[in-house]
Amino acid sequence: MVLVNQKNRTAFLEAAKGTYHDIAFGFSVSINGALYENVMMLDDLPCIFVHQSRMKTVVAVQDGGGILPGEGAKDIAALITHCETPLAVSRLDSIKQFGPEENQFFDGTSI
């Protein structure tokens, strides 16, 4: 999947002209359970055009949940990622190990 900054849409399409790549519009694509309408496909690769305010290197999350560009944020022109890429790891729990004497379910070690 390619996320393309909306302000670079024209340049992206101009660069794709005259190549051997197959470009088609108007597709519906489901990625990680989210449905995207009117997607451009470039050789079976979904390209989603994203508003330029969301394509920043630094974001600040407001108390109400809104997102604004952070201080010193730069524009991202395009972002190529695999559709199955995890979004983020927000918290890691420490691993707990229970030996056979502590484990009540079976006679063995449990993690």
Side-chain angles (χ1 to χ4, degrees):
M1 170 176 66
V2 178
L3 300 174
V4 181
N5 192 328
Q6 184 70 31
K7 76 176 190 177
N8 295 328
R9 181 182 178 126
T10 305
F12 186 84
L13 296 175
E14 287 295 321
K17 281 184 183 176
T19 65
Y20 62 91
H21 297 287
D22 183 29
I23 299 173
F25 291 90
F27 284 88
S28 295
V29 179
S30 178
I31 300 172
N32 292 334
L35 183 66
Y36 297 92
E37 298 285 337
N38 209 13
V39 173
M40 182 185 89
M41 299 293 281
L42 175 66
D43 293 336
D44 297 326
L45 178 69
C47 299
I48 300 172
F49 292 97
V50 181
H51 192 270
Q52 65 188 20
S53 64
R54 300 189 188 279
M55 298 286 283
K56 300 291 183 181
T57 56
V58 179
V59 294
V61 180
Q62 297 176 319
D63 291 337
I67 297 175
L68 293 174
E71 189 175 324
K74 297 178 183 175
D75 288 338
I76 298 174
L79 182 64
I80 302 171
T81 183
H82 191 277
C83 293
E84 306 268 329
T85 302
L87 295 176
V89 176
S90 59
R91 184 178 76 124
L92 292 175
D93 291 331
S94 60
I95 296 177
K96 296 176 178 66
Q97 182 174 354
F98 301 98
E101 60 280 345
E102 298 168 320
N103 192 349
Q104 297 179 4
F105 298 109
F106 59 91
D107 189 24
T109 301
S110 177
I111 296 177

